Amino acid sequence: QHPPDSLSFYSTYADTLGRKLDRKVAESEEHRKAARFSEEKYLLFLKNLQGIGYLVQAGETIPVIFEGQVTEISGYEPDDFLSGSIIWQDIIHPDDIGEYLKEKPCPDVCRGSRFSMQYRIVHKSGDIRWVHEIATCLSDIPVDIRFIQGAIYDISRQKQAQEELRRSEEQYRMLYEMMAEG
């Protein structure tokens, strides 16, 4: 037996490894492009959301993503929340913050839990706004990096309409009672 020609053997081996590496690099680039495209679609969806879409790591107060009608709903810019210069909890109405903190899932029991609550916020202008927040803990993620994904919608108009309806019904009831007495 003759030992393989070491130069041709290593040359063939290097070519084979080079082709495999090229395939892996191409696959990796395709995965990166797909992930980038997916992230861009997600962010575009959030930017066009008729509310605020957010993603925050469980146990943290500064979101990773905070997009949509942030300025319209809160009066603040998205970067104010993303930088931590303002925290969402800081603009929750003082009468509602206790219930909010009690209801919002804590990181220890976050796995798969859902949250839905209506509460008031104080807009940057000082106006009081009603919002409805819906959130879910992403549970397919390891415990140390759980995320809460949610949406916040301005429901001030609905609350105002409900209050006007309540007042109208109250006036009608009083008028009816006065007619019955008369």
Side-chain angles (χ1 to χ4, degrees):
Q1 285 189 348
H2 299 287
D5 176 6
S6 62
L7 183 58
S8 67
F9 172 77
Y10 287 114
S11 178
T12 304
Y13 182 68
D15 286 345
T16 302
L17 280 179
R19 282 192 303 277
K20 284 183 179 180
L21 183 59
D22 288 343
R23 273 197 311 271
K24 289 291 184 190
V25 167
E27 287 173 11
S28 178
E29 186 57 33
E30 286 177 30
H31 288 296
R32 266 197 299 279
K33 283 180 184 177
R36 207 173 14 248
F37 178 70
S38 181
E39 181 181 357
E40 287 170 6
K41 281 193 325 188
Y42 181 68
L43 289 174
L44 183 61
F45 168 76
L46 290 178
K47 287 177 193 249
N48 292 312
L49 184 67
Q50 296 297 311
I52 299 170
Y54 68 85
L55 185 67
V56 64
Q57 189 167 355
E60 297 294 324
T61 55
I62 299 174
V64 177
I65 296 173
F66 208 76
E67 291 289 343
Q69 294 184 329
V70 178
T71 307
E72 295 86 340
I73 292 174
S74 70
Y76 297 93
E77 295 296 321
D79 286 342
D80 294 333
F81 294 99
L82 293 168
S83 69
S85 65
I86 185 85
I87 306 295
W88 184 258
Q89 293 174 357
D90 294 343
I91 69 169
I92 295 176
H93 193 277
D95 294 342
D96 296 343
I97 189 68
E99 185 70 19
Y100 177 86
L101 293 174
K102 188 174 93 178
E103 294 295 321
K104 188 90 179 203
C106 75
D108 299 336
V109 294
C110 180
R111 185 170 292 275
S113 62
R114 298 184 186 281
F115 169 78
S116 177
M117 183 177 179
Q118 295 179 1
Y119 57 89
R120 293 166 291 177
I121 62 168
V122 180
H123 189 274
K124 187 176 183 178
S125 68
D127 293 341
I128 304 299
R129 303 270 175 101
W130 276 95
V131 296
H132 184 188
E133 182 176 351
I134 304 164
T136 301
C137 289
L138 302 178
S139 58
D140 297 344
I141 300 174
V143 174
D144 57 335
I145 53 168
R146 287 189 188 138
F147 283 89
I148 299 171
Q149 176 178 309
I152 301 168
Y153 301 97
D154 187 338
I155 59 168
S156 299
R157 287 188 183 141
Q158 293 95 315
K159 286 291 191 177
Q160 182 180 8
Q162 287 173 346
E163 181 58 25
E164 288 172 8
L165 179 61
R166 187 195 64 75
R167 277 193 224 126
S168 175
E169 288 173 345
E170 180 69 22
Q171 288 175 345
Y172 178 74
R173 185 185 58 76
M174 287 175 53
L175 180 62
Y176 181 77
E177 288 174 358
M178 286 173 38
M179 286 177 51
E181 289 176 11

